[in-house]
Amino acid sequence: MRHKRFERLLALSVGGGLGKDEEEELSRHLETCDVCRSELQKLQRLHGFTEIVRTGSPVDETLLMEARRELHTLLRYEGRTRQVHALGWSLPSFAAPMKMVLAAALVFAVGFGIGNFGLFRSSQPGGERTTAQFQTASVRTPSELQTKIENVQFLDRGEGSGVVEFTFDAVTPVHMRGNVDDPKVQKVLASALLTDNNPGVRLSAVNALGSAPQLKADSALEFALIKALRSDPNVGVRKQALLALKSMPLDEGIKQAFLLALSKDSNPGIRIAAINALDVAISRPGEIDNAVREVLQRNALNDKNDYIRLKAKAVLSERQ
Amino acid sequence: MDDNELIRKAQGGDTNAFEELVYRHDRSVLSIASRYVLSADEAKDIYQEVFLRVYRGLKGFRFQSEFATWLHRITVNVCLSHKASNRSYSRPRQREDEGEDESHAEGDVADPADGPDATALRSEISRRVEEALGTLAPKHRMVFSLRHLEGYSLKEIAGMMECTEGTVKRYLFDATRKMRGSLRDLT
């Protein structure tokens, strides 16, 4: 099309993206230009197609419920593991340097409190020992301060009012030693698996979880492992998450995670581990439901890996 | 109770208020995410990332914009950064119920209202449009779907993407041209 400016106006006109002046300018042009009228018709058809998509796919209620449920679990983790404390206090008449000193002292005190009495304080009565032992950093003087203050965000800088308000992350080193069977240890490892940016840390966390003789049914732990299997970018983490899930009692969520890995994961090693896990989990004839059958049939026909195709056929024929 | 009251309560640590805030606005977040990535699992990942960021940043919310505007800005940012960090983007975009090797039918598609197979035609058109959307660059895809699938104004989109309306128009024009090219056999 020759009319560069009108080409742009036409593209914006469908769906009402033009101002009044531009619309009038375009209308005048369309009265005299067959090429642009034809182009407009094509763009209107395109807009019609997008209308079909728009009206045809409202938010899936089931998906929304799942997303809310998973968010709820994530927020529980977030609340436990993130040591963020908001402070607001009033310093009505101090000069700025004094406010800084007091702020530092208060940060120090809060860090000390978090380190010693925060996340890992035993909730068991009478000081009863658990299998996990925690040693928080000791803080005696400012030079030995080990609590890192990060991500300070000022809500009110106190200019003129004498009131400062800010949030920050207080990160305290914690020494932890315990058995991998201990739910406290597992919760920390599961949290690292979900949130740590370093793939080496995530791998170590999931390896440690997988080394437990048998993981007990725990919805938060299961969620972390399923999420890692589903979406961790590191193939080693996904594989270890799958193996850890194998040692948990099979439920619908784990079964769906295995099926998703078998049908969607791009790595053949994960798909092989998934079909082997399903083979073990679904041990008796007649236990294959429609969802499992459908995925196995698809893999038996279409998987690029020879072993998976053969295995899928074998599982189908043995368990029908 | 309006959004601002819920936000103030949530800022004070009231998790019920935070959840109420989520439930008021999460449909639009999931809708934008679903348009952008198509896969249900990825849409859920985006949904969770968005609300985790909101949860972490809510204490810094200063009521200088509408909560919905702030939320949608975060949603757009999470969507646009999703590609770089998520392996599943390397896979061909496809619906959950389609086989990997299935190829789409070529040829003219009649007006879906005319024929007896209207549902099948609408489904096919939707699939072709979504497939064409999948070929667009991330910002083009985001602008096109916010405008034509979610119905936001150019001004609203500019606010969400933190750019000028002129930039939005340029993205929209480029996206429309590419969509036209991809769906040439239909238009």
Side-chain angles (χ1 to χ4, degrees):
Chain A
M1 195 170 67
R2 290 170 299 162
H3 318 281
K4 201 70 184 170
R5 170 166 167 70
F6 290 109
E7 186 183 5
R8 192 171 288 269
L9 291 181
L10 281 170
L12 295 173
S13 71
V14 288
L18 291 184
K20 195 180 172 190
D21 292 346
E22 289 173 323
E23 250 179 36
E24 286 175 1
E25 183 187 358
L26 182 61
S27 294
R28 283 196 299 277
H29 176 73
L30 286 172
E31 286 172 8
T32 60
C33 181
D34 292 341
V35 176
C36 284
R37 273 205 302 275
S38 166
E39 180 66 13
L40 179 62
Q41 284 176 354
K42 288 172 181 171
L43 286 168
Q44 282 171 336
R45 289 207 75 184
L46 173 63
H47 185 64
F49 294 148
T50 61
E51 283 291 296
I52 288 171
V53 177
R54 190 171 71 83
T55 56
S57 50
V59 168
D60 180 334
E61 290 298 317
T62 308
L63 181 65
L64 184 67
M65 290 305 116
E66 279 177 26
R68 285 177 174 177
R69 204 165 43 243
E70 291 179 11
L71 177 68
H72 183 75
T73 309
L74 266 181
L75 290 176
R76 273 172 51 208
Y77 265 109
E78 183 75 5
R80 284 177 192 169
T81 58
R82 191 176 157 80
Q83 303 175 10
V84 180
H85 290 244
L87 296 176
W89 71 95
S90 180
L91 300 170
S93 60
F94 292 120
M98 182 59 80
K99 282 197 286 188
M100 291 297 290
V101 170
L102 284 176
L106 190 49
V107 163
F108 170 81
V110 170
F112 182 84
I114 289 167
N116 286 287
F117 307 110
L119 179 65
F120 300 117
R121 185 172 57 176
S122 170
S123 58
Q124 298 192 21
E128 185 183 339
R129 290 178 68 84
T130 66
T131 52
Q133 299 169 348
F134 312 113
Q135 298 168 6
T136 57
S138 62
V139 181
R140 293 190 181 84
T141 69
S143 63
E144 294 171 4
L145 188 66
Q146 292 190 46
T147 299
K148 286 185 185 171
I149 304 300
E150 296 177 349
N151 194 24
V152 179
Q153 294 184 6
F154 278 86
L155 308 180
D156 187 341
R157 294 177 187 278
E159 292 158 355
S161 68
V163 178
V164 291
E165 185 180 3
F166 56 90
T167 64
F168 63 89
D169 297 355
V171 182
T172 304
V174 175
H175 180 121
M176 187 172 196
R177 179 181 172 82
N179 195 299
V180 288
D181 287 337
D182 190 315
K184 286 192 179 75
V185 174
Q186 290 179 357
K187 279 181 172 34
V188 174
L189 293 174
S191 182
L193 177 60
L194 274 180
T195 59
D196 203 291
N197 289 327
N198 186 328
V201 172
R202 298 199 304 276
L203 192 56
S204 298
V206 74
N207 276 337
L209 284 169
S211 68
Q214 185 176 22
L215 292 171
K216 292 177 186 141
D218 176 300
S219 61
L221 178 60
E222 181 182 320
F223 171 79
L225 290 168
I226 287 176
K227 188 162 176 61
L229 170 59
R230 211 182 64 201
S231 60
D232 197 288
N234 183 288
V235 65
V237 174
R238 298 204 302 278
K239 177 88 176 282
Q240 290 306 119
L242 190 150
L243 296 178
L245 283 167
K246 262 177 78 177
S247 71
M248 296 183 88
L250 184 76
D251 63 16
E252 190 58 25
I254 294 175
K255 189 176 81 179
Q256 291 300 328
F258 289 162
L259 288 175
L260 191 69
L262 177 58
S263 60
K264 298 284 183 187
D265 202 291
S266 57
N267 185 287
I270 303 285
R271 298 202 303 278
I272 288 171
I275 198 168
N276 286 338
L278 281 167
D279 185 25
V280 172
I282 303 167
S283 56
R284 289 192 296 270
E287 279 192 340
I288 295 183
D289 60 22
N290 286 339
V292 177
R293 187 177 298 110
E294 194 177 307
V295 172
L296 288 174
Q297 284 171 344
R298 199 183 304 159
N299 279 83
L301 289 174
N302 298 328
D303 201 289
K304 290 171 187 162
N305 184 283
D306 294 342
Y307 174 84
I308 295 173
R309 288 200 306 278
L310 289 171
K311 182 82 178 181
K313 282 175 192 163
V315 174
L316 278 169
S317 65
E318 287 168 13
R319 311 286 160 71
Q320 293 287 21
Chain B
M1 190 179 297
D2 66 16
D3 278 359
N4 287 351
E5 287 176 73
L6 284 175
I7 292 166
R8 285 193 187 90
K9 286 192 167 191
Q11 285 176 329
D14 185 338
T15 51
N16 289 333
F18 182 76
E19 290 202 356
E20 173 65 25
L21 200 58
V22 170
Y23 296 162
R24 281 188 188 183
H25 295 277
D26 62 350
R27 283 172 194 279
S28 61
V29 170
L30 192 60
S31 179
I32 291 171
S34 300
R35 305 285 193 202
Y36 188 75
V37 293
L38 296 184
S39 143
D41 284 329
E42 288 176 81
K44 270 196 299 185
D45 286 345
I46 288 175
Y47 172 99
Q48 287 158 8
E49 177 67 22
V50 166
F51 284 110
L52 272 182
R53 287 196 193 184
V54 169
Y55 183 75
R56 290 167 181 166
L58 197 64
K59 283 189 184 294
F61 185 75
R62 303 298 294 158
F63 304 94
Q64 288 166 352
S65 65
E66 291 290 320
F67 174 75
T69 306
W70 181 60
L71 174 66
H72 290 150
R73 193 175 296 153
I74 291 172
T75 306
V76 167
N77 284 336
V78 172
C79 284
L80 291 177
S81 62
H82 183 71
K83 182 180 180 183
S85 62
N86 198 305
R87 71 194 162 86
S88 49
Y89 259 78
S90 59
R91 294 200 307 261
R93 293 157 65 85
Q94 62 182 53
R95 312 272 303 212
E96 300 280 335
D97 56 353
E98 286 175 353
E100 287 181 1
D101 297 322
E102 189 178 345
S103 59
H104 64 73
E106 297 288 346
D108 290 337
V109 177
D111 185 340
D114 291 343
D117 293 326
T119 306
L121 282 170
R122 290 172 74 90
S123 171
E124 172 63 8
I125 287 171
S126 294
R127 195 180 66 77
R128 290 290 310 276
V129 170
E130 286 169 352
E131 193 177 74
L133 266 175
T135 66
L136 298 180
K139 286 183 178 174
H140 291 169
R141 182 161 77 239
M142 178 56 74
V143 167
F144 191 91
S145 65
L146 287 174
R147 178 79 189 104
H148 289 295
L149 304 182
E150 297 292 322
Y152 290 103
S153 71
L154 298 178
K155 187 178 176 185
E156 287 172 320
I157 297 169
M160 289 181 204
M161 298 190 69
E162 296 178 276
C163 62
T164 64
E165 275 189 59
T167 304
V168 172
K169 283 182 180 177
R170 186 159 50 80
Y171 286 150
L172 190 57
F173 171 67
D174 289 344
T176 304
R177 196 171 52 178
K178 284 173 188 161
M179 289 293 284
R180 267 266 289 118
S182 299
L183 301 171
R184 190 170 296 282
D185 57 316
L186 301 185
T187 59

